[in-house]
Amino acid sequence: MSIHVRSFVGTRVLLLSAVLSAVVLAGCGKPSAPVAAEVAKPAGDPLQIKVEPSMASRFVAGEVRMSILVPIQEVPGRIEANERQVTRIGASVTGRVTELLVEVGDRIKAGQPLARIASPELTQAQMAFLRAHSNSGLAERAVDRARQLFQADVIGAAELQRRESELSVARAEMRALSDQLKLLGISGAPLEALRDQGALQSHAPILATQSGVLLERKISNGQVVQPGDHLFTVADLGNVWVSGALPEQTARSVRIGQQVDIEVPALGNRQLSGRIIYVGDAVSPETRTVPFRTQVENLSRDLKPQMLATMRIRGEAASELVVPNDAVIRESDRDHVYLKVGEGTYRFTPVELAPAQHDLRPVIRGLKLGDLVVVEGAFHLHNERKRAELQ
């Protein structure tokens, strides 16, 4: 019996010790948690969160609605010379450069000499022209005599026709050689001096074929050049191209004639406007993009080739389902919103959204018209849900 009494007494002592320990720990530790937590995670759904009424005012829900949007694609661009107004100029004969007459950046007029070259071919062409001119004169006098002899019945009509044919050939040869000399830069007064006085030109000029700005010079004094060499580049910069490239996924939405807003940082973010004049028909295998370009006026010549620009392509206005940008939470490389599923209850919902337009995100899938999503305090609610998961 004494054994049973000691056991009972020992049990009471142990219980009393446990109670005293709990009291001591409670007095020495932190205050106990409130009875009702402000945020709770509903059992069975880790993406759902319930907010107590005292905290509900921090989160404002709004309806998913329709809005008229003008889609805008923003891509980097570059100013380029209008290739339709760019001329690459070379020499007409083989020769050595003896004089350079212009420098890069000079304003050029059509017909202006850019350089002079000494060329044996030029001398040979002039000599050929003099021979043709002499032959033409001889043929003219031969025809005059033949006509006189024909009138005197000394020769027949066949002989007169033969000499007239020779005159036609001689004149045609002289015209051809005259045209050749014009291509070599010998025309006007120098050509007349050659024809009338036999004065040979020792140098051939390289002439500008259009007016504009000299963008490039690829020769120097003493250099030997030949036909086909690209020596000068002249461009009319009265209007220029602004070129860019679109990702292949979005290129289908762009077409010729579409309006583009252009911003040039080098000119104090000056705003320009143009229309698309070209969209490429092939995708670049290196960048997976499609090239396009616009054309803008440049009467003040402020736009310089190779300047950088930002291009914003306007699409057609359309009514789309949208949510505010502030309602979107980005997590795990996906967009999410907090969908209100009950009073004080929200669910972290994945959605597929298009890029932002005017602080609105067009909805592709995941929401429907009239759904309630958190539009104010979404980020704070997300932090509260994360905190509740750790409890």
Side-chain angles (χ1 to χ4, degrees):
M1 183 174 178
S2 60
I3 296 174
H4 292 292
V5 170
R6 283 195 299 269
S7 175
F8 176 74
V9 171
T11 301
R12 292 188 61 186
V13 170
L14 288 174
L15 288 174
L16 180 60
S17 176
V19 170
L20 289 174
S21 298
V23 170
V24 170
L25 290 175
C28 297
K30 296 181 180 179
S32 58
V35 178
E38 289 187 316
V39 177
K41 181 177 65 175
D45 190 349
L47 299 180
Q48 195 161 301
I49 185 171
K50 184 173 180 60
V51 177
E52 293 299 324
S54 60
M55 198 177 184
S57 60
R58 302 182 187 180
F59 312 111
V60 178
E63 288 188 354
V64 177
R65 58 186 175 84
M66 302 295 293
S67 181
I68 303 296
L69 294 180
V70 178
I72 296 178
Q73 295 189 60
E74 185 172 303
V75 296
R78 187 183 301 272
I79 309 296
E80 297 178 352
N82 185 342
E83 285 292 337
R84 295 172 182 165
Q85 298 181 163
V86 174
T87 301
R88 292 166 177 83
I89 302 169
S92 301
V93 293
T94 300
R96 186 177 299 276
V97 179
T98 60
E99 187 179 10
L100 288 172
L101 304 174
V102 293
E103 294 294 339
V104 172
D106 288 352
R107 303 280 176 170
I108 305 300
K109 293 183 179 180
Q112 177 180 337
L114 307 178
R116 300 188 191 280
I117 59 176
S119 171
E121 291 182 14
L122 179 63
T123 302
Q124 294 172 6
Q126 292 178 93
M127 293 301 297
F129 174 78
L130 287 176
R131 285 192 293 269
H133 178 61
S134 176
N135 291 336
S136 177
L138 290 174
E140 287 180 359
R141 290 191 291 272
V143 168
D144 290 339
R145 286 195 301 270
R147 286 172 180 168
Q148 293 173 4
L149 293 174
F150 179 74
Q151 292 294 333
D153 201 19
V154 175
I155 61 174
E159 179 65 16
L160 175 59
Q161 291 173 355
R162 184 184 68 81
R163 294 186 183 183
E164 289 176 342
S165 177
E166 290 176 351
L167 175 60
S168 297
V169 172
R171 286 176 173 173
E173 184 178 1
M174 187 179 71
R175 286 194 299 270
L177 291 170
S178 174
D179 292 340
Q180 182 180 356
L181 286 176
K182 291 177 181 178
L183 292 175
L184 299 180
I186 305 299
S187 61
L191 182 59
E192 292 178 2
L194 173 66
R195 182 185 61 212
D196 300 336
Q197 305 169 17
L200 297 179
Q201 301 294 320
S202 59
H203 292 78
I206 301 176
L207 301 177
T209 54
Q210 79 162 46
S211 300
V213 177
L214 185 66
L215 296 183
E216 191 175 24
R217 190 200 77 187
K218 289 189 171 183
I219 61 172
S220 56
N221 279 323
Q223 181 177 338
V224 175
V225 298
Q226 58 186 358
D229 290 346
H230 170 202
L231 307 180
F232 299 95
T233 301
V234 176
D236 181 356
L237 299 179
N239 60 69
V240 294
W241 288 345
V242 186
S243 300
L246 291 160
E248 59 181 323
Q249 297 86 350
T250 60
R252 66 181 182 276
S253 63
V254 176
R255 65 186 186 281
I256 293 175
Q258 200 165 351
Q259 186 173 350
V260 180
D261 295 327
I262 302 165
E263 187 176 282
V264 184
L267 301 180
N269 292 326
R270 180 189 295 182
Q271 303 291 323
L272 305 172
S273 182
R275 294 191 179 276
I276 295 177
I277 61 171
Y278 167 79
V279 178
D281 294 319
V283 175
S284 168
E286 292 82 16
T287 61
R288 310 306 306 173
T289 57
V290 177
F292 74 100
R293 61 174 173 260
T294 66
Q295 182 172 308
V296 297
E297 295 298 320
N298 187 33
L299 299 180
S300 61
R301 303 296 196 276
D302 290 338
L303 298 175
K304 313 293 186 185
Q306 303 310 311
M307 275 185 174
L308 299 179
T310 300
M311 309 176 73
R312 297 181 179 90
I313 308 169
R314 295 184 188 179
E316 292 184 355
S319 180
E320 298 190 47
L321 197 65
V322 297
V323 295
N325 202 37
D326 291 341
V328 182
I329 302 293
R330 188 76 175 175
E331 185 175 273
S332 301
D333 204 28
R334 289 197 63 181
D335 290 326
H336 299 74
V337 297
Y338 276 96
L339 182 65
K340 187 174 183 179
V341 295
E343 190 61 37
T345 304
Y346 307 90
R347 191 174 192 282
F348 191 55
T349 305
V351 292
E352 187 173 347
L353 307 174
Q357 299 178 33
H358 310 291
D359 295 328
L360 296 175
R361 297 289 299 274
V363 178
I364 299 176
R365 61 175 59 89
L367 294 172
K368 64 182 183 298
L369 185 66
D371 281 347
L372 290 175
V373 299
V374 176
V375 296
E376 291 184 20
F379 186 74
H380 179 56
L381 181 61
H382 186 63
N383 289 338
E384 293 296 333
R385 186 181 69 83
K386 287 291 187 182
R387 186 183 304 172
E389 286 181 352
L390 298 177
Q391 294 178 355

